Amino acid sequence: MAGIGFEIRKILKKNTLLSVFEAYSYAGLIGSGPWLLSIIALMLIGILSLGIVLPKVLIIQFLTLVTYMMAASLILTGGLQLMLTRFIADLFFTKDNGLVLPNLLGAQLITTIGALLVGLAVWPFLPLPIMTKVIILGAFISLCNQWLGAIFLSGMKEYRLILVTMLSGYAFMVLLAYLLRDWQLDGLFFAFFAGEALLFFSFLFMIIRRYPGDKLISFDFLNNKKVYYSLFLCGLFYNIAVWADKIIFWYSPSTSIQIIGTLRASPIYDLPIFLAYLSIIPGMAVFLVRMETDFVEEYDRFYSAIRDGSTLQEIYHLKDNMIRTARSGLYDIFKIQGITVACLLLWGEQILTFIGIDPNYKTLLFIDVVGVGVQVIFLSILNILFYLDKRITVMILAGLFLFTNIVLTYLSIAFGPQFYGYGFALATIISSVIGLFWLSRQFENLEYETFMLQ
C-alpha cells in the first residue's frame, strides 16, 4: 500500500487541520475499504429488505451465506495473494511490467477453478433452488477474483479513483437489492453478485489500462525459481486464524443456531465481533500513513545505501532511523487504537442502546474491541517483517496466532459465557508480544544478515 500512502502524504504537506482530516479519512477508507464498505452495504441491504423479503429468516440466511462466502474467499485466496504480491513486486523491481497482466490472469484462472470446485462441493448441502445456487456460485467466484485484483490497486496511486470505484460498486449493490426486493432471496443474491462482478471487472479494467500485457496468460508466478511458497503458508495460516474463533463459535452447539442446511451462526458472538471490527478504521488509517509510508521511505534509504556502496557508518545511521520510524509507527497505532478502545469503553453501552442492540452485549463487545485493536498492531509487525523478507518468521507467527486462537477459543467456550471473546483477544496479545520480541531481534542482526547471508 506504500504507493497510495505516498500520494496521501502529499495532502498532509498542506499543513492544515483540514488536510490532516482529509488525508487520514482517505487512508482509513482505502486501508479498510473493501471489507468496511461491504459491511455497510450488507447492513443497508438488510435494513431495506425488512418487511419486503418475507419471512425475515430469508434476510438472515442471505447475510449468513455472504459471511461464509467472505470467509471462504479470503481463506482460499489468502496464500495466493501474498505469493502473487511478492512476484509482481519483483517484476516491478526488474521493470518487467509486460508480465504483470498475464500472471494476474493466470492466477485468476486458478482461483476461478478453485472457487468453482469449492462451490460445487458445498452445492449439495444448500437446500436452495438451482437458480439461487448458480447466482451464489457466480458471486463467490467474483468475490475471490476481486481480492486478487485489489492487491494491484495499491501500486496505482490513484486513490480517489479507487475509492470512487469501490463506493460506486457497493452503492450499485445496495440500489439493485432495493429494486429487486420483490424477487426475495434471489433478488438479494443477484444484487450481491452484480455488485461484486462490477467491482471485479472495474479493477481488471484499471489494471489492463495501467499494465498492458505482452501475452494473454502466464503461470510464471508458479515457477519454483521465482516464487516463495512460504508466503502461501503465511497467507493461509493468517486468514484461517482470523476466522478460526468465528468458525468455532458457529459450530459449537451451545453458542450457535442452524441457519440453512449445514450452515450455522452464533448470534451471541457474531454481532459484537462484527461491531468491534468497525473500530479498527482509525488504526488502519495510521497504519497506511505511518507504516506503509514513513517506514517504507526509511527502509528504502537503508537498502539503497547498501546497494550503492555507502560507508558502514552511514548504513548504521540509516538503520537506526528505520528502527526509530518503525517504533514510532507502532506506538502511534497503539495510541490511536487505545483512544478508540477507551472511547468505546466509556460510551459503548450508550452506542448499543442507540442502535437498538441489547446492552448485555457490551462486555463481549469490549473484549472484542481490545482483540481487534491488538490485531492491527500484530498486522503492523507482520508488515515490517515482510519488508525485511523474514518469511519464515511471519509463517511461524501466523501459525502461532492460528494455534492460540483455536485452543484458547475452545477453552473460553468450555469455561462458560463470561469467558467468551477472551480466546481471540489473548491470541492476538500473545502473538503480538512474541512478534515484537522477534522483530527486535531481527533488527539487531539486520546488517549482519543483509551482508553475510546473501
Side-chain angles (χ1 to χ4, degrees):
M1 298 294 288
I4 290 179
F6 286 120
E7 291 299 308
I8 290 177
R9 197 170 66 172
K10 292 178 181 177
I11 301 175
L12 290 172
K13 292 182 178 179
K14 299 176 183 177
N15 201 27
T16 65
L17 185 61
L18 182 61
S19 68
V20 173
F21 177 78
E22 181 184 0
Y24 279 95
S25 296
Y26 273 120
L29 289 172
I30 294 293
S32 54
W35 61 265
L36 171 64
L37 293 175
S38 65
I39 287 174
I40 295 174
L42 291 172
M43 287 176 61
L44 291 175
I45 289 173
I47 293 170
L48 293 174
S49 301
L50 290 173
I52 304 295
V53 178
L54 298 171
K56 187 178 177 180
V57 68
L58 293 179
I59 301 175
I60 298 174
Q61 290 177 352
F62 166 72
L63 296 175
T64 300
L65 277 164
V66 169
T67 302
Y68 273 80
M69 281 194 282
M70 288 284 185
S73 64
L74 287 168
I75 292 172
L76 180 64
T77 64
L80 186 57
Q81 284 184 57
L82 288 183
M83 283 176 53
L84 193 62
T85 299
R86 173 58 190 265
F87 177 78
I88 297 300
D90 289 344
L91 290 181
F92 288 157
F93 185 78
T94 57
K95 303 188 184 305
D96 293 323
N97 291 3
L99 296 175
V100 171
L101 181 61
N103 280 281
L104 169 62
L105 295 178
Q108 289 185 328
L109 176 60
I110 293 175
T111 298
T112 299
I113 295 172
L116 183 61
L117 293 175
V118 171
L120 292 176
V122 178
W123 186 288
F125 301 101
L126 295 179
L128 294 169
I130 292 178
M131 183 54 65
T132 307
K133 291 182 181 180
V134 171
I135 297 172
I136 292 172
L137 184 59
F140 181 59
I141 293 172
S142 299
L143 185 59
C144 289
N145 282 291
Q146 180 197 312
W147 296 128
L148 290 183
I151 65 176
F152 287 81
L153 301 181
S154 59
M156 294 184 181
K157 303 181 181 180
E158 300 173 6
Y159 58 92
R160 289 188 177 91
L161 176 61
I162 293 169
L163 186 57
V164 168
T165 301
M166 289 192 295
L167 286 171
S168 300
Y170 286 110
F172 172 73
M173 182 189 298
V174 174
L175 177 62
L176 195 59
Y178 176 77
L179 296 175
L180 299 179
R181 291 181 301 170
D182 292 336
W183 290 17
Q184 301 295 301
L185 200 57
D186 285 348
L188 297 181
F189 277 118
F190 185 80
F192 180 74
F193 162 64
E196 293 297 338
L198 177 62
L199 285 171
F200 163 51
F201 286 111
S202 297
F203 291 164
L204 186 60
F205 173 77
M206 294 164 67
I207 295 167
I208 292 173
R209 187 188 63 175
R210 181 67 179 269
Y211 307 109
D214 297 334
K215 52 185 175 179
L216 178 62
I217 195 167
S218 177
F219 297 97
D220 292 339
F221 66 94
L222 296 178
N223 189 321
N224 289 332
K225 297 180 180 179
K226 299 180 180 180
V227 72
Y228 299 94
Y229 287 103
S230 57
L231 290 175
F232 181 86
L233 294 177
C234 292
L236 180 65
F237 289 166
Y238 180 79
N239 281 283
I240 296 176
V242 168
W243 288 96
D245 55 304
K246 292 82 173 170
I247 295 172
I248 292 172
F249 270 91
W250 291 343
Y251 285 94
S252 294
S254 61
T255 61
S256 64
I257 57 174
Q258 182 181 2
I259 300 298
I260 180 170
T262 58
L263 304 186
R264 305 176 66 87
S266 177
I268 194 173
Y269 190 75
D270 290 345
L271 188 57
I273 194 72
F274 160 79
L275 294 174
Y277 269 108
L278 295 178
S279 70
I280 69 171
I281 298 172
M284 291 301 296
V286 177
F287 169 80
L288 181 55
V289 174
R290 297 302 308 272
M291 302 308 300
E292 288 283 13
T293 306
D294 295 349
F295 172 77
V296 171
E297 195 170 55
E298 296 299 331
Y299 159 91
D300 188 57
R301 288 173 180 168
F302 173 73
Y303 283 102
S304 293
I306 291 175
R307 289 193 300 269
D308 296 341
S310 298
T311 64
L312 186 60
Q313 183 178 2
E314 177 68 13
I315 290 172
Y316 278 145
H317 174 69
L318 292 173
K319 174 194 168 183
D320 290 340
N321 287 344
M322 182 172 63
I323 295 173
R324 193 178 303 112
T325 304
R327 185 186 299 118
S328 176
L330 288 171
Y331 173 71
D332 284 349
I333 293 172
F334 177 82
K335 181 170 61 177
I336 195 68
Q337 278 303 127
I339 294 172
T340 305
V341 170
C343 290
L344 287 172
L345 290 177
L346 287 173
W347 297 303
E349 186 173 354
Q350 290 86 340
I351 293 173
L352 290 175
T353 303
F354 177 76
I355 60 180
I357 297 174
D358 190 342
N360 290 325
Y361 280 108
K362 66 177 182 179
T363 302
L364 182 52
L365 173 64
F366 295 158
I367 298 167
D368 286 336
V369 164
V370 173
V372 298
V374 178
Q375 186 182 338
V376 179
I377 297 174
F378 181 59
L379 182 63
S380 303
I381 295 169
L382 298 185
N383 186 63
I384 296 173
L385 290 170
F386 271 133
Y387 273 112
L388 300 180
D389 204 26
K390 304 302 180 183
R391 301 182 304 276
I392 302 302
T393 302
V394 174
M395 184 179 68
I396 294 172
L397 286 173
L400 174 67
F401 181 30
L402 172 59
F403 175 78
T404 52
N405 198 12
I406 291 174
V407 173
L408 294 175
T409 299
Y410 268 118
L411 289 175
S412 70
I413 293 176
F415 289 155
Q418 64 271 31
F419 291 96
Y420 290 173
Y422 282 99
F424 169 69
L426 286 175
T428 58
I429 292 171
I430 292 170
S431 302
S432 297
V433 170
I434 294 177
L436 283 171
F437 172 77
W438 219 327
L439 178 61
S440 178
R441 293 292 300 273
Q442 298 289 357
F443 273 134
E444 287 178 6
N445 302 318
L446 184 60
E447 67 280 355
Y448 168 78
E449 293 185 0
T450 301
F451 281 102
M452 303 303 294
L453 300 183
Q454 300 301 314

